[in-house]
Amino acid sequence: MRKLRPNLMVNDVNATIRWYADMFGARTVVTVPEEGAFDFALVRIGDVEIMFEKPDSLSDGISALQNLPIGGSFTLYVDVDDVDALHAKVKDRGAEIVKDLQETFYGTREFYMKDCNGYVLTLATAT
């Protein structure tokens, strides 16, 4: 394996890419269609890429995803340069923090937050 690029099911791709741009400075790489209400988008934040896709679009090609709820029993664990600065930024912008900043036994400083679709993101910096 060389890279992990999650494709997250979301109800509103346009709102999701705006949220990620506001919280993390995400840059939109590609959308389908190119304008209007998007069915799909790929965004980049530093070296991280995340795809967002509407349920009907995603489940059309993957029948195992039909009728599944949005969200998941996982976290997206993201290494960041300055977790304290990022925590302050997203908190000021109204992000839902589900576990506040903490030092871990495995040598990181991290916090957990939900994105606008309910996905849990873990943001961490090695100490």
Side-chain angles (χ1 to χ4, degrees):
M1 289 188 229
R2 296 183 315 134
K3 188 177 211 177
L4 175 65
R5 185 182 299 138
N7 189 2
L8 305 180
M9 188 183 308
V10 302
N11 281 321
D12 188 332
V13 175
N14 295 62
T16 301
I17 61 178
R18 282 191 302 271
W19 189 90
Y20 274 80
D22 183 51
M23 290 292 166
F24 306 116
R27 183 175 61 84
T28 303
V29 177
V30 65
T31 62
V32 176
E34 290 183 13
E35 294 182 14
F38 304 135
D39 293 326
F40 170 87
L42 169 67
V43 301
R44 185 173 294 135
I45 310 159
D47 293 333
V48 173
E49 293 181 333
I50 305 172
M51 298 180 285
F52 305 111
E53 194 164 355
K54 289 175 59 176
D56 55 342
S57 174
L58 188 56
S59 64
D60 268 354
I62 306 168
S63 62
L65 296 175
Q66 289 177 351
N67 303 315
L68 290 180
I70 291 174
S73 59
F74 62 90
T75 67
L76 296 173
Y77 192 95
V78 185
D79 292 325
V80 300
D81 291 327
D82 186 344
V83 74
D84 290 286
L86 183 58
H87 178 267
K89 176 183 175 181
V90 300
K91 195 171 181 179
D92 285 347
R93 294 182 180 186
E96 182 181 351
I97 307 297
V98 296
K99 190 171 186 180
D100 217 348
L101 279 167
Q102 64 176 353
E103 300 286 334
T104 68
F105 70 91
Y106 44 88
T108 66
R109 183 163 169 76
E110 63 188 36
F111 72 96
Y112 294 71
M113 65 181 283
K114 283 188 179 179
D115 81 353
C116 59
N117 300 287
Y119 290 104
V120 176
L121 310 173
T122 307
L123 296 304
T125 300
T127 54

